[in-house]
Amino acid sequence: MSSFRLITTYSPWLVLACLAAGLLYAWLLYSKRTPWPRSVNYGLAFLRFAVVSFLCFLLLGPLVRYISNSTQKPTIVFAVDNSQSVSLFTDSVQLKQAQTNLQNLRSKLESEGFLTNVKTLGTTAPPQNLEELQYEAEATNLSQLLSNIRNEYAQQNLAGVVLLSDGIINQGTSPTYANYNYTIYPIAVGDTVPKKDIVLASLRYNKVTYSGNRFPLEAELLHEGFGGATATVVLKENGKTLERKTISLKANQSIQQVPFQVMAGGLGKRHYEVEVVPQQGEFTTLNNTKHAYIDVVKGKIKILVAAAAPHPDIKALRAAIESNENYETELFIPGLTTLKQQDYDVAVLHQLPGRTSGGEAALNLVRQKNLPALYIVGPQSDLGGFNNLNVGIRINSPGQTDEVTSAINPNFSTFKVAEEATERLQQFPPATVPYGDYQLTPNTETVLYQQVGRVRTNKPLLTVQTVGDKRNAALLASGTWQWRLTEAANHEQAAVYDKLITNLVQLLSAPRNKKRLNVYPVQNEYTNSDEIRFEAEAYNEALEPIYGQNITLEVRNEAGEKKTFNFANGENQAGVNIGTLPGGRYTYAASARINNSLQQDKGEFIVDELQLEALNAVADHNLLYQLASNTNSRLYYPAQFGQLEAAILNADYKNVIYSSEELNDLVDMKWLFFVILFLICSEWFIRKYNGSY
């Protein structure tokens, strides 16, 4: 149902003035003697009267107000917890009957004038016939399910939600903490009686360890009904038993830990499996196994931090570097510490070469080992000696200093700067830099520019030079310890400063990538419910990115089974989605022919097997009861569908009428122009036809 009204921005009495203007114009034009009959004259006068009056009326700024009304029936959403735990721990006959009754209830409500819809966990579209529903979701997040319904139906007549669930949640927050603007009618399924079972609840371990070291791996067991018995826990790698432990299950302690010490052998991702040997009378053995995937690396990256003299910057730099657990530093200050002859990966040289002697040993070591280095320039630096190092920048200074802050170079993309860096860098106190002219070599990029007050200059503050496989960096600022201190005081953690320094160390320690084909998964670890996506980069001989290359990707599981995918890389494409995979360690190999040259890349990734639904076999009907109470409803059981139907019908949900109003300027209606044009043309044609103008 809709209606419209015509309103003006001026007094309606002015409409009479518009009519008077039209009447006066017509009288002045057609009151004289004319060569055509009187009836034609009256018709022409009326046409002119209508046109002039309407044009005057448009000057009043008339508006057309449209009001449209729509009636919306009440909606009942059937939200079904289609997680695996529902089918695992609910009697199959009872569950099937509940689905049939749920579908019958839906049909009954539709016949009574309700709108209905079905929602389930996950993103897969549910079947509209509830009897065809499959319980395959690998995690339960009822809070997300109910919140999504609330958001989707925010502007609709949502009467209530019928929720079929066992109340077991293993992801997200408890839905009882949220406020819902609709009534929830929970139907409780599952069994609330504790089952006799042993559950391998979790594994605790570090995801990265070092080759040749022993690392701890701890299994956590839950047991019910096995107090006083013994259980055997087996640790395996690639199917081979590494260690076996037998423990006593204490009657008064339902949670027990089983520690293992594992020797990390080899490099790369290692797959370990922990299994509790099944016991007689266990309710299920689906929760007796857990998998651990550990990345075994060569060892920590060693960074030499050398300085001409003690300085607060050194403490800040070491703290930033060691915020990454894969890095360790060794300090050398002439006269205070000795220079240890180790296999360093990177050097950080603070005000070296310096004006005073003592730092030559560190400089010689960097030169002999050809180490990538971060050079930090300060008031005690020997600028002449620094320029002779040829690290991509030359400084011509009269010996004066300047106080500057930093600004990010938006064109630098070799590594990502933290999102909040731009804002936080502006809050850092000024640092001391050499005043003078700076000259960059072509193989040097600027990471940070100097900023004086609010003006960003073109003078570099932090640079990175690339020479073959080696990189060097130069930070032309002294006193950056204040940056870290200020950020930690303002934001609790010095995230931007630490990330900047660790990114520099990572960039310097990593060999320059000369591969012309780079194919990689978006993440290193997935779960078996995640869709796995690969991205690809291809380069020509000059290492410039090129697009449209046909790439073949082969993915193999631990058993050697292979899947092949073909795709093309594009500037704005998102690579290839290979779907979901079962849990395990996977290797991949990619190949492409670039300019008639075969290029290859390979790697590995992990898919973690989720077993959340098998961990808890006891239904939580108390959670469903609280949900119902919070929305002024009650808890129902599968035998009470008749009561549920009566409760919904007796709630007397009403249709809701939604009204919308729209105002439009009358002058904006294009069809009125053609009406006026038609009237004017008609008047002209009649006058012309009758021998006049």
Side-chain angles (χ1 to χ4, degrees), residues 633-677:
S633 179
R634 53 161 287 199
L635 179 64
Y636 297 88
Y637 292 94
Q640 299 174 319
F641 270 92
Q643 299 178 29
L644 173 59
E645 178 185 322
I648 295 175
L649 295 177
N650 293 336
D652 195 24
Y653 293 113
K654 304 292 186 182
N655 294 342
V656 175
I657 299 176
Y658 292 93
S659 295
S660 62
E661 180 179 306
E662 184 179 358
L663 285 174
N664 293 315
D665 287 318
L666 188 64
V667 72
D668 290 337
M669 297 182 178
K670 295 181 180 179
W671 62 271
L672 289 177
F673 167 78
F674 294 102
V675 171
I676 296 172
L677 182 63

Side-chain angles (χ1 to χ4, degrees), residues 36 98 183-184 473 509 540 585 623 629 680:
W36 46 76
T183 305
I184 298 176
S509 62
N540 59 18
R585 181 174 64 88
L623 180 142
S629 299
I680 293 174

Side-chain angles (χ1 to χ4, degrees), residues 316 319-320 424-425 427-429 480-498:
R424 294 194 185 181
L425 287 175
Q427 302 171 0
F428 289 173
T480 59
W481 63 272
Q482 298 178 78
W483 294 2
R484 192 172 194 274
L485 192 65
T486 300
E487 185 180 8
N490 294 339
H491 305 282
E492 295 185 2
Q493 291 185 338
V496 169
Y497 181 89
D498 290 356

Side-chain angles (χ1 to χ4, degrees), residues 164-337:
L164 179 73
S165 176
D166 57 7
I168 300 173
I169 59 173
N170 43 48
Q171 280 191 352
T173 59
S174 172
T176 58
Y177 297 143
N179 294 320
Y180 302 104
N181 56 352
Y182 52 79
T183 305
I184 298 176
Y185 300 95
I187 303 172
V189 294
D191 194 349
T192 58
V193 178
K195 310 296 189 299
K196 186 178 180 181
D197 200 11
I198 299 177
V199 179
L200 181 53
S202 65
L203 298 178
R204 286 196 284 267
Y205 56 91
N206 290 326
K207 291 191 175 183
V208 178
T209 190
Y210 302 103
S211 178
N213 289 352
R214 287 193 175 272
F215 64 92
L217 189 154
E218 186 177 77
E220 184 176 83
L221 268 62
L222 304 177
H223 66 89
E224 180 69 40
F226 283 94
T230 60
T232 301
V233 185
V234 182
L235 172 66
K236 303 177 183 179
E237 182 181 13
N238 299 326
K240 178 183 177 182
T241 299
L242 299 181
E243 191 173 353
R244 179 187 295 262
K245 286 191 175 184
T246 300
I247 64 168
S248 297
L249 301 175
K250 301 176 183 178
N252 59 349
Q253 188 176 341
S254 60
I255 303 176
Q256 292 183 230
Q257 284 74 32
V258 183
F260 293 95
Q261 288 290 326
V262 188
M263 174 62 73
L267 299 175
K269 291 180 170 60
R270 314 292 290 188
H271 178 193
Y272 298 94
E273 179 183 354
V274 179
E275 178 188 15
V276 179
V277 176
Q279 300 284 323
Q280 185 72 26
E282 265 196 273
F283 176 73
T284 179
T285 59
L286 293 174
N287 48 26
N288 284 35
T289 305
K290 283 281 186 183
H291 299 266
Y293 300 93
I294 298 175
D295 195 7
V296 180
V297 298
K298 180 182 67 173
K300 289 189 176 184
I301 293 176
K302 296 181 180 179
I303 297 99
L304 170 64
V305 178
H311 195 283
D313 281 353
I314 300 170
K315 174 68 174 177
L317 289 166
R318 295 185 70 188
I321 294 170
E322 292 176 353
S323 66
N324 186 322
E325 61 181 12
N326 292 324
Y327 297 156
E328 64 178 6
T329 62
E330 187 69 38
L331 179 63
F332 170 63
I333 300 177
L336 296 179
T337 61

Side-chain angles (χ1 to χ4, degrees), residues 30-104:
Y30 290 103
S31 62
K32 302 175 184 178
R33 186 173 181 178
T34 58
W36 46 76
R38 179 174 295 180
S39 59
V40 173
N41 198 55
Y42 285 151
L44 291 172
F46 176 78
L47 288 175
R48 182 57 59 99
F49 163 75
V51 169
V52 174
S53 297
F54 188 72
L55 290 175
C56 292
F57 178 68
L58 291 179
L59 296 176
L60 300 181
L63 301 171
V64 178
R65 183 171 68 178
Y66 290 94
I67 300 177
S68 61
N69 297 322
S70 61
T71 302
Q72 194 170 80
K73 297 178 180 180
T75 299
I76 296 291
V77 174
F78 288 82
V80 182
D81 174 1
N82 61 322
S83 61
Q84 295 172 355
S85 66
V86 174
S87 59
L88 283 173
F89 309 124
T90 303
D91 180 78
S92 58
V93 176
Q94 182 191 57
L95 184 59
K96 192 66 179 176
Q97 186 61 44
Q99 288 182 240
T100 302
N101 291 338
L102 210 58
Q103 181 62 33
N104 293 338

